[in-house]
Amino acid sequence: MKLKNLSFLVLIALASCGSPTASYNEYPEYTGSDLGVTYAPAQSFFRTWSPAAEEVQLAIYDAPLQTEPVASYSMQPDVQGTWVYTVTEDLIGKYYTFQIKQDGKWYDPAPGIWAKAVGVNGERAAIIDWSATNPEGWDADSRPVMNAFTDAVIYEVHMRDFTVSPTSGSHYPGKFLGLSERGTHSPEGLSTGLDHLLDLGITHVQILPSYDYGSIDETRLADNKYNWGYDPKNYNVPEGGYSTDPYNPVSRILEMKTMIRQLHQAGIRVIMDVVYNHTFVNEGSHLYLQSPGYFYRIKDDGTWGNGSGCGNETASERAMMRRYMVESVKYWVNEYHIDGFRFDLMGIHDIETMNAVRAALDEIDPSISIHGEGWAAGPCLIPEETQALKKNAPELRNIAVFSDDIRDALRGNWAEGNLGGFLTGNGCEEIVKFGVVGATAHPQIDFAQLAHSSAAYAASPSCVINYVSCHDDPCVVDKLLAINPDFTNEELQRMAKLAQTVVFTAQGVPFIYAGEEVLRDKKGVHNSFQSPDSVNEINWSNKAIYADYYAYIRNLIALRKAHPAFRMGNAGDVAKAVSFLPVQANLVAYTLNGTLANDTWSNIFVAYNGNTHDVTVDLPEGGWTAACYDGSIYPDGKGCYSKQITIPQVSAVVLFHK
Ligand code: CA
């Protein structure tokens, strides 16, 4: 053992008399980039980080589920809390684990958190031929062009939801390959899969957790179990359940890259949902087995912080956890060509770490987007002012947060099942207005009337994600039916159209939950994270059944994309361009100065009527043409209105001057 590590262990022993958290600050940070395995045919070099370990064993296996190793080696302590070993034989096709002894106790073997390939169920790291993981044309793959994040239309999708129903016509139901398959169609002959996404006009897919997660047994995929995947196991490896062969470590990597390549070739960017804030299990997690305690916030009395509501919370403020997160997102960008990240429960992470992630991605490509949930699921063990919460968003640099403000204003509070919002005539006009200006500062908004915020939090419209549904909680149809089970299908469609019209005409970044464009539901199940496919799958026959609804959403997206006035990039411009009009209750109306945004429309009038009766409002001067009226979109305009307009019940209007 080298003196350097010996003296460090003495330090740890001394420090451990006090707070373990204080001693974690003494753990050295490893600044190299060779953690895990560095393979060459002649030799494999292993390095792992575990500063407080007394011994570390490297074990080699022939098979991913083999319990007895074919060889094991005592690793040597090395610089900055790491342990190293070189095996001088060709290990291609083999598997390995690290096992540490600390405070006299041997912990379970684990692949190490720097594993980049694993066997089935992610218990062993795999040594593979990386050249076999690249699909055809990978070297030529490039990020589709995106000028501004406000130009994005994000489509949130789960692999199984999208293609597991036979109505998708997919040859790869529930798999990575299903998301990028071409030429598939519903029983009614309408496009599904990637062709459907191109028809719809979205620009980004946001994939629900697709790193290796723990809740699905990859040896029993025939059971067709479902999970959202918010239970991380190996952060730097794709999920085996989405591959055609989880036993082959190359399969999941090649197939995820193939999916990304196909989406890129179709002009669609890929945002990955990342869940660094907690792990599936506590003491048995790969983070814990790497260096017990270090990667989590644990109180001095041994109780675990639980800001995730899942039993633990990670400690991004510690040097090696911060470094791990930064290196991990860089890895997904460099190896998999990921174009953006959605941080789950971002409020658990500290602001400094999130800004470090931003800075690292800026060095690669500033157009790589970052957004996240600006909240935690419970109290965290770091000071609130250091958390990447929505209210602290002004301190986050070019990182967007979800607007639960616009979501709940439209459909009603997520936690109160039968309480409605603007869509059902329950007011919330001021919060809808706050949504319209993309949560930026605006002189006509009374911030005292907001429910989830007390001030503007978006430095620019590109710092807020507008939505009415995502995978969490009920989707909009189910929420409306929870409010009133007697709503007719026609009423539901009117309300859902109104909701999406607000989302797609508001300043900010619009986001739609996969299948909402064909009026999906989840059979009333709100927290469907492990519900069966029958609840979560998208029934693509809906596309024919709700053809008018689908056409509306598709045309709404096209309308937004055609008009930069809805996609302004600067908060000051929004404050100047948006002017709210005094109108009656359950109504929001405003003009939008198109000239300021270089739009072909010089002035735009937008109104949302949440009343169950028609209302008539005064129009600003001049003659107006309708681009959206009573549940239909007219891209080239229709009719001529002046002085007044009658806005049909539960609907939106968009009028313009050339
Ligand atoms: Ca897995």
Side-chain angles (χ1 to χ4, degrees), residues 217 254 307 340 375 497 572 585 591:
D217 184 347
L254 170 64
W375 49 78
K497 279 183 180 177
T591 55

Side-chain angles (χ1 to χ4, degrees), residues 187-511:
E188 297 77 19
L190 298 178
S191 64
T192 60
L194 178 49
D195 290 349
H196 167 75
L197 297 181
L198 289 172
D199 185 60
L200 180 59
I202 57 101
T203 65
H204 290 58
V205 292
Q206 176 180 308
I207 51 175
L208 263 82
S210 295
Y211 52 74
D212 180 35
Y213 59 81
S215 56
I216 299 294
D217 184 347
E218 297 173 8
T219 68
R220 299 173 60 92
L221 293 181
D223 293 351
N224 282 318
K225 285 275 169 49
Y226 181 98
N227 206 286
W228 282 341
Y230 293 90
D231 43 70
K233 190 165 183 178
N234 291 296
Y235 282 108
N236 291 340
V237 188
E239 161 60 19
Y242 296 148
S243 73
T244 57
D245 183 6
Y247 288 89
N248 175 358
V250 170
S251 214
R252 59 182 78 194
I253 301 171
L254 170 64
E255 291 169 19
M256 188 174 177
K257 286 180 175 177
T258 302
M259 174 192 82
I260 293 164
R261 170 71 177 151
Q262 297 298 324
L263 288 164
H264 280 177
Q265 283 197 293
I268 294 172
R269 287 193 172 208
V270 181
I271 294 171
M272 187 167 170
D273 193 335
V274 287
V275 190
Y276 298 107
N277 68 81
H278 75 275
T279 50
F280 186 34
V281 292
N282 291 12
E283 282 92 347
S285 78
H286 295 163
L287 279 177
Y288 194 85
L289 298 173
Q290 186 71 48
S291 183
Y294 178 85
F295 291 99
Y296 296 93
R297 299 181 188 134
I298 301 173
K299 292 182 206 164
D300 291 351
D301 68 3
T303 53
W304 290 60
N306 188 21
S308 68
C310 299
N312 59 71
E313 67 183 72
T314 56
S316 58
E317 68 281 11
R318 280 179 209 144
M320 276 304 271
M321 183 63 199
R322 176 174 295 157
R323 173 176 283 273
Y324 183 67
M325 286 172 60
V326 169
E327 295 297 324
S328 180
V329 295
K330 282 169 64 180
Y331 174 70
W332 283 106
V333 168
N334 291 327
E335 185 66 36
Y336 288 84
H337 304 179
I338 290 290
D339 309 294
F341 296 91
R342 177 266 189 197
F343 278 77
D344 185 62
L345 299 180
M346 185 170 69
I348 291 178
H349 304 311
D350 67 301
I351 293 167
E352 194 178 337
T353 296
M354 290 310 303
N355 283 334
V357 169
R358 177 72 271 171
L361 294 180
D362 280 348
E363 278 187 26
I364 301 171
D365 180 347
S367 79
I368 297 169
S369 60
I370 306 178
H371 64 275
E373 292 184 305
W375 49 78
C380 292
L381 299 184
I382 54 169
E384 202 174 87
E385 64 270 20
T386 68
Q387 290 177 246
L389 295 167
K390 190 179 71 172
K391 68 175 179 182
N392 298 331
E395 291 178 61
L396 295 167
R397 200 175 50 75
N398 198 13
I399 296 172
V401 292
F402 282 100
S403 173
D404 52 345
D405 305 87
I406 194 170
R407 181 197 68 198
D408 286 4
L410 289 170
R411 67 187 210 173
N413 191 293
W414 65 278
E416 296 168 54
N418 56 3
L419 187 71
F422 184 79
L423 301 176
T424 48
N426 297 85
C428 305
E429 301 91 336
E430 205 64 20
I431 316 178
V432 172
K433 286 162 63 182
F434 182 56
V436 166
V437 298
T440 60
H442 191 282
Q444 286 178 284
I445 307 272
D446 176 9
F447 294 97
Q449 290 188 46
L450 307 183
H452 298 323
S453 298
S454 53
Y457 51 80
S460 85
S462 61
C463 293
V464 70
I465 307 289
N466 292 324
Y467 69 124
V468 68
S469 303
C470 67
H471 67 277
D472 269 319
D473 309 315
C475 51
V476 68
V477 166
D478 285 338
K479 172 66 184 178
L480 293 168
L481 286 171
I483 296 163
N484 180 359
D486 296 329
F487 279 136
T488 65
N489 193 270
E490 195 204 331
E491 287 168 331
L492 291 172
Q493 289 192 49
R494 289 192 80 87
M495 288 183 281
K497 279 183 180 177
L498 175 58
Q500 300 295 358
T501 312
V502 177
V503 167
F504 281 93
T505 50
Q507 304 297 322
V509 181
F511 172 106

